[in-house]
Amino acid sequence: MLFALCSHSASAKTFMASCNDTDSYTISSLTVPWQELSHMQTPTEMTHINITIDGQSQRITLAETEAAQALRQRLANGAITLTLNSSQDFEIWGPLGFSLPADNRQTTAQPGDVVLYSGSNICLFYGTNTWSYTPLGRIEGLDQSQLRTFLKAGQSNIIVQLSLTETTDIQTPVAGSNTERCYTLGGQQVQQPTHGVYLKGDKKIIR
């Protein structure tokens, strides 16, 4: 990490932990206006993408691979929609429609892992399998049973959307989740449901 002395000028101020001025910062001779710094993405935003299946969204923590970052850069141009299929009771997989830089390694994929296969296919695991893959990331927060439900294990023609932003306000409404929040069919959270049809966890409630 580089540390520079703090110096003041009309055009720029050199960055240092003790520098509190906010006109602009110079880091290794690169001047960055503070307005641009304020719009930079946080580390969390840079290391996650979202996956949506049948209106339910989860977060994928990206792996530290060139392929994962290339996928994220691709999503900066807009969400992508994939049609995936179950395979051998441990994954759903299918073509991305484009290639990513492969760095294959023999590994045993675990439930929740997201990997690149043969450079242009994506695999999402609800079981385990040993093969040569390039890691892309991991689905957060779901156990194996919840993963099977979320990924629609055993089904075909599963519509999967990858994006940089969440596409629904309903968070993790999958079987086995502990949420007690209640939502309308339009995705709006309701504190005290009255008459109508609502979603609560993985159940539909009619009042």
Side-chain angles (χ1 to χ4, degrees), residues 144-204:
Q144 188 169 6
S145 176
Q146 292 171 332
L147 280 166
R148 290 184 65 89
T149 300
F150 177 66
L151 296 176
K152 298 189 176 298
Q155 298 186 29
S156 301
N157 298 320
I158 304 160
I159 304 303
V160 176
Q161 185 179 81
L162 302 178
S163 65
L164 297 186
T165 57
E166 294 180 3
T167 58
T168 176
D169 292 331
I170 302 178
Q171 300 290 320
T172 321
V174 297
S177 64
N178 294 322
T179 179
E180 293 298 330
R181 296 177 181 176
C182 194
Y183 297 88
T184 66
L185 294 180
Q188 182 178 0
Q189 185 176 347
V190 178
Q191 297 296 335
Q192 295 182 334
T194 53
H195 296 290
V197 180
Y198 301 91
L199 299 176
K200 190 172 185 180
D202 59 337
K203 300 179 180 179
K204 183 182 291 185

Side-chain angles (χ1 to χ4, degrees), residues 2-207:
L2 291 175
F3 292 91
L5 293 176
C6 185
S7 61
H8 301 270
S9 68
S11 60
K13 293 182 173 59
T14 303
F15 179 76
M16 185 178 177
S18 60
C19 252
N20 294 320
D21 299 283
T22 56
D23 292 343
S24 61
Y25 300 111
T26 299
I27 305 175
S28 299
S29 77
L30 174 64
T31 300
V32 182
W34 71 269
Q35 292 93 340
E36 293 185 17
L37 286 173
S38 67
H39 288 88
M40 285 183 177
Q41 292 170 308
T42 65
T44 298
E45 292 172 326
M46 292 295 291
T47 57
H48 293 82
I49 61 174
N50 292 289
I51 176 172
T52 301
I53 301 175
D54 198 21
Q56 303 172 6
S57 292
Q58 296 295 331
R59 177 173 283 186
I60 295 176
T61 300
L62 293 177
E64 294 181 358
T65 61
E66 186 179 355
Q69 293 308 311
L71 175 60
R72 195 186 186 288
Q73 291 172 9
R74 186 93 182 198
L75 294 178
N77 296 322
I80 60 174
T81 301
L82 311 170
T83 301
L84 306 183
N85 292 286
S86 300
S87 173
Q88 303 184 51
D89 201 34
F90 58 75
E91 67 177 351
I92 63 172
W93 79 287
L96 283 166
F98 52 86
S99 296
L100 294 173
D103 180 19
N104 294 326
R105 60 196 73 172
Q106 193 74 8
T107 186
T108 299
Q110 300 295 322
D113 285 349
V114 181
V115 304
L116 180 69
Y117 170 62
S118 293
S120 60
N121 299 283
I122 191 169
C123 307
L124 299 96
F125 285 87
Y126 50 84
T128 62
N129 188 54
T130 301
W131 201 259
S132 183
Y133 299 120
T134 299
L136 290 176
R138 182 171 178 80
I139 300 172
E140 295 181 352
L142 301 181
D143 61 28
Q144 188 169 6
S145 176
Q146 292 171 332
L147 280 166
R148 290 184 65 89
T149 300
F150 177 66
L151 296 176
K152 298 189 176 298
Q155 298 186 29
S156 301
N157 298 320
I158 304 160
I159 304 303
V160 176
Q161 185 179 81
L162 302 178
S163 65
L164 297 186
T165 57
E166 294 180 3
T167 58
T168 176
D169 292 331
I170 302 178
Q171 300 290 320
T172 321
V174 297
S177 64
N178 294 322
T179 179
E180 293 298 330
R181 296 177 181 176
C182 194
Y183 297 88
T184 66
L185 294 180
Q188 182 178 0
Q189 185 176 347
V190 178
Q191 297 296 335
Q192 295 182 334
T194 53
H195 296 290
V197 180
Y198 301 91
L199 299 176
K200 190 172 185 180
D202 59 337
K203 300 179 180 179
K204 183 182 291 185
I205 299 173
I206 302 177
R207 292 183 179 273

